[in-house]
Amino acid sequence: MELVRPRMGHFKAVMAADRDFESAGEEPYCGSRGRMGYFGWLAVVDRLSKPECMDYGSNPNEIWFLMSDDGSSILAFGQLRPYDTPDALTWAGHIGYSVPPSERGHGYAQETLKRLLQMGFDRGMERILLTCDVDNDPSRHIIEKAGGVFSGFYRDEEYNKRLYWFTKKG
């Protein structure tokens, strides 16, 4: 398994993962159709990963894929939001992850979280916030198993989240 940034060569794997989400009645991760839609998505993902996007009211968000050993399928999607923006410090958290339905139950969310935590700490982040919906028990278990310390709730008219902090050790 390898954690990689999205690129054009992942088109078929992303489309397969999106079909997997849709067949389970869930919203597709990428949500684009065809190569041009995917190419546009890649351009947006690249722009939104840069800190300059904060100047326009957006939250810097790096997308990562946990790829199968042969590189043919996406085992999990991850997001790293490495800046303390209002969104990251409330409802979004610094890290997010999603696993295609057919890949769930194999520890891929846990592996993605572990790698993104390490990446964040390696970049100098001292504290990393993760959130999950109050009713998302699988995500809560993943975060708690990884060592997240529950610190309360974030609630507004749109979100009802549990908050967990990770602190850099040593």
Side-chain angles (χ1 to χ4, degrees):
M1 293 181 287
E2 185 179 8
L3 200 61
V4 298
R5 295 296 304 270
R7 57 183 181 266
M8 197 62 186
H10 296 134
F11 170 71
K12 288 182 182 179
V14 169
M15 294 300 105
D18 272 2
R19 284 191 303 276
D20 192 1
F21 283 110
E22 288 176 326
S23 69
E26 298 178 25
E27 188 171 324
Y29 186 87
C30 176
S32 63
R33 293 282 174 245
R35 287 193 186 276
M36 287 310 294
Y38 180 66
F39 186 71
W41 181 80
L42 284 175
V44 169
V45 164
D46 181 59
R47 279 194 307 273
L48 289 179
S49 70
K50 296 177 171 50
E52 305 87 69
C53 77
M54 288 188 288
D55 296 338
Y56 302 101
S58 191
N59 192 42
N61 186 28
E62 299 173 11
I63 303 296
W64 294 88
F65 297 161
L66 183 67
M67 299 296 295
S68 60
D69 287 334
D70 66 2
S72 67
S73 62
I74 297 171
L75 306 174
F77 296 89
Q79 303 90 36
L80 178 64
R81 302 173 198 97
Y83 299 95
D84 287 341
T85 64
D87 290 349
L89 294 174
T90 55
W91 64 271
H94 292 106
I95 292 175
Y97 49 83
S98 185
V99 177
S102 67
E103 299 295 350
R104 293 177 185 160
H106 301 288
Y108 299 137
Q110 194 78 48
E111 183 64 26
T112 301
L113 174 55
K114 179 181 125 185
R115 291 178 188 213
L116 290 174
L117 282 167
Q118 188 61 54
M119 187 183 298
F121 290 136
D122 288 349
R123 291 185 188 183
M125 297 175 75
E126 297 291 325
R127 293 181 61 198
I128 296 175
L129 178 67
L130 264 80
T131 71
C132 68
D133 290 339
V134 168
D135 61 355
N136 188 342
D137 286 334
S139 190
R140 178 177 60 84
H141 290 299
I142 289 164
I143 294 168
E144 290 173 354
K145 183 177 179 182
V149 176
F150 178 72
S151 67
F153 297 94
Y154 174 80
R155 291 185 175 110
D156 67 13
E157 61 279 347
E158 193 172 350
Y159 300 105
N160 189 8
K161 301 281 189 173
R162 293 176 178 272
L163 308 176
Y164 293 87
W165 283 99
F166 291 81
T167 305
K168 186 175 184 175
K169 295 173 177 68

